[in-house]
Amino acid sequence: FLAILVIACEGGRYHHFRLEDVSPKEVDKSINTAYFENRVDHFNLSSEATYKQKYWFTNDYWDEARGPVVLYVNGEAPASPPSVKSLPALYAQELKARFFALEHRFYGDSQPCKDWSLECLRTLNHHQAMADIANFIEAKNKEMKTPRKWILIGGSYAGALVAWFKSKYPHLVHVSYSSSGVINAIVDYYQYKYQVGIDLKKDARCYTTVVELVSYAVNIIQKGTKEQKDELKASMSASMLEDLDFLNYFTELYMGAIQYSTRLSLCPRLTAIGEEKDLKKRVVLYAKLGVSLGVTPKDYTLEDEKNTKIDRLKNARQWTYQICSSLGSVSYTHLRAHETSLHLVCRLLLEKKKNHN
């Protein structure tokens, strides 16, 4: 299997089963919000510390006599109330199952520690996350009294979690549905860029526009004067970005959209930009396209990675920590590591500066 793990600054980049902007009409009134008292550290028997892990549930579809349980496992972003139109909920309806959706530790409202310091983040890893799931299942099994078959569903990193969970806790789960599960760690995943190129080439004019834009930006960043670099960044409201962070932002404008299957709507807009003969004006139009897609320069600074204060809407620091500390899977296209070793990049992103928090 090929795997893609991408560092991004906002949870909105991860689509899969998550519903980003849940319409009130799509959230059934039967979807209830609750909190489960889970252990902070499952592997430290001397600690009894717990935290409140957020979850949602409904019994409306459930055949209490024989129905199974569907658990939608969320990943590296603040979780949203599950839509009744989402795939996990539809499966629950079809199977007459009890339905749960569980938020991942250290994301959203499920915060096991007082901040995101490195000391606190030491319990943020997939082993603890799987133990959270196991503890949750065991507790709910006791509540239901009669043993039920559990079906776990997750996508991307959460897809890997449910696949690994099936292997590690086979006695607790009947089926794991892993969508795009990143079960293998591949450092410098160059195939990601290769696949993006294949998709873009399906529209020759779109591909040409992207090649010209990227070539223009890379040439200035690598060979241009300071004045030329400053002018380019300023034209895209990206003066705050260092060179490699700027290139990361510049390429993410189209790569993220291609990854999440929006090429057909993106390419006509890119092709229209390509009609502009003046490359400087073309870049300005490109930046405006990025804003319309929710991709802005401020999301590519290191502020979020270095911020140790909890912000329930953010995920950059936690996800970066997971990749650096335990998952070890990096696409250098999405990390400022083009000319730097992975370990040094992780230190730059996560460690505190001297005399600063």
Side-chain angles (χ1 to χ4, degrees):
F1 295 93
L2 296 179
I4 302 173
L5 284 178
V6 176
I7 289 182
C9 296
E10 296 179 336
R13 307 271 174 82
Y14 305 102
H15 300 290
H16 293 276
F17 296 128
R18 278 194 75 232
L19 192 67
E20 301 307 317
D21 298 309
V22 181
S23 165
K25 295 180 181 179
E26 293 180 337
V27 179
D28 195 298
K29 293 181 180 179
S30 68
I31 300 292
N32 304 288
T33 303
Y35 290 85
F36 177 69
E37 202 78 16
N38 223 326
R39 294 176 61 90
V40 172
D41 190 344
H42 294 274
F43 309 110
N44 180 4
L45 298 181
S46 65
S47 172
E48 296 182 357
T50 61
Y51 78 100
K52 295 185 182 299
Q53 187 170 21
K54 192 173 186 177
Y55 71 96
W56 294 266
F57 72 96
T58 181
N59 298 330
D60 278 18
Y61 323 133
W62 190 31
D63 176 352
E64 293 189 35
R66 295 182 297 176
V69 181
V70 170
L71 172 60
Y72 169 35
V73 176
N74 284 269
E76 69 284 19
S80 302
S83 164
V84 295
K85 296 180 181 179
S86 66
L87 185 61
L90 291 174
Y91 275 140
Q93 294 166 40
E94 182 177 343
L95 297 171
K96 298 181 179 179
R98 193 177 189 190
F99 180 52
F100 292 103
L102 186 65
E103 188 169 60
H104 195 291
R105 60 169 49 212
F106 282 97
Y107 295 95
D109 293 322
S110 302
Q111 300 294 332
C113 205
K114 66 183 187 302
D115 58 31
W116 290 338
S117 63
L118 293 180
E119 175 59 27
C120 276
L121 291 178
R122 66 181 179 79
T123 58
L124 172 57
N125 55 65
H126 54 289
H127 299 292
Q128 296 282 0
M130 285 191 288
D132 278 342
I133 297 169
N135 204 25
F136 182 82
I137 290 175
E138 288 175 337
K140 295 305 175 183
N141 278 339
K142 288 180 181 179
E143 287 180 11
M144 292 183 287
K145 297 180 181 179
T146 304
R148 302 301 172 111
K149 291 182 178 179
W150 283 75
I151 300 161
L152 271 56
I153 302 177
S156 192
Y157 160 60
L161 274 183
V162 300
W164 294 332
F165 190 90
K166 174 65 175 172
S167 176
K168 189 169 185 177
Y169 299 92
H171 60 293
L172 293 178
V173 59
H174 184 63
V175 173
S176 280
Y177 182 162
S178 173
S179 173
S180 304
V182 286
I183 58 173
N184 294 331
I186 302 174
V187 176
D188 192 8
Y189 187 68
Y190 66 87
Q191 292 96 332
Y192 173 79
K193 292 170 282 186
Y194 179 72
Q195 185 59 49
V196 168
I198 290 175
D199 273 16
L200 280 174
K201 287 179 180 178
K202 293 175 181 177
D203 186 322
R205 294 174 66 194
C206 180
Y207 178 74
T208 299
T209 298
V210 169
V211 169
E212 290 174 352
L213 281 166
V214 172
S215 297
Y216 175 72
V218 170
N219 186 60
I220 290 178
I221 294 299
Q222 291 185 343
K223 301 177 181 179
T225 64
K226 182 181 183 302
E227 289 73 20
Q228 289 173 322
K229 292 181 184 180
D230 290 346
E231 181 184 8
L232 173 62
K233 292 177 184 179
S235 71
M236 299 184 72
S237 302
S239 298
M240 79 291 286
L241 297 181
E242 296 180 20
D243 289 355
L244 294 180
D245 296 323
F246 175 77
L247 290 179
N248 185 14
Y249 152 68
F250 197 93
T251 56
E252 182 69 14
L253 283 175
Y254 68 89
M255 285 200 295
I258 297 299
Q259 179 179 348
Y260 292 111
S261 305
T262 58
R263 177 183 62 82
L264 292 179
S265 60
L266 175 71
C267 272
R269 301 175 71 183
L270 281 171
T271 300
I273 290 172
E275 298 295 329
E276 171 59 58
K277 303 301 181 184
D278 187 326
L279 276 169
K280 290 184 179 180
K281 292 181 180 179
R282 196 184 297 182
V283 163
V284 174
L285 295 172
Y286 183 60
K288 290 180 179 179
L289 171 62
V291 172
S292 72
L293 296 173
V295 182
T296 58
K298 65 181 179 61
D299 295 322
Y300 291 83
T301 67
L302 300 185
E303 293 179 7
D304 285 340
E305 281 85 351
K306 291 182 176 295
N307 180 31
T308 61
K309 184 179 179 181
I310 292 174
D311 184 336
R312 287 170 171 78
L313 297 179
K314 300 288 187 179
N315 74 337
R317 180 170 174 82
Q318 312 97 291
W319 184 228
T320 303
Y321 177 84
Q322 283 192 263
I323 289 175
C324 287
S325 64
S326 59
L327 297 176
S329 183
V330 175
S331 167
Y332 281 175
T333 302
H334 292 78
L335 186 61
R336 58 194 313 271
H338 302 71
E339 299 172 357
T340 315
S341 71
L342 170 61
H343 297 295
L344 179 56
V345 170
C346 287
R347 290 181 61 184
L348 288 170
L349 290 173
L350 295 168
E351 285 190 355
K352 296 181 292 186
K353 293 182 178 179
K354 291 183 179 180
N355 302 321
H356 290 79
N357 292 327

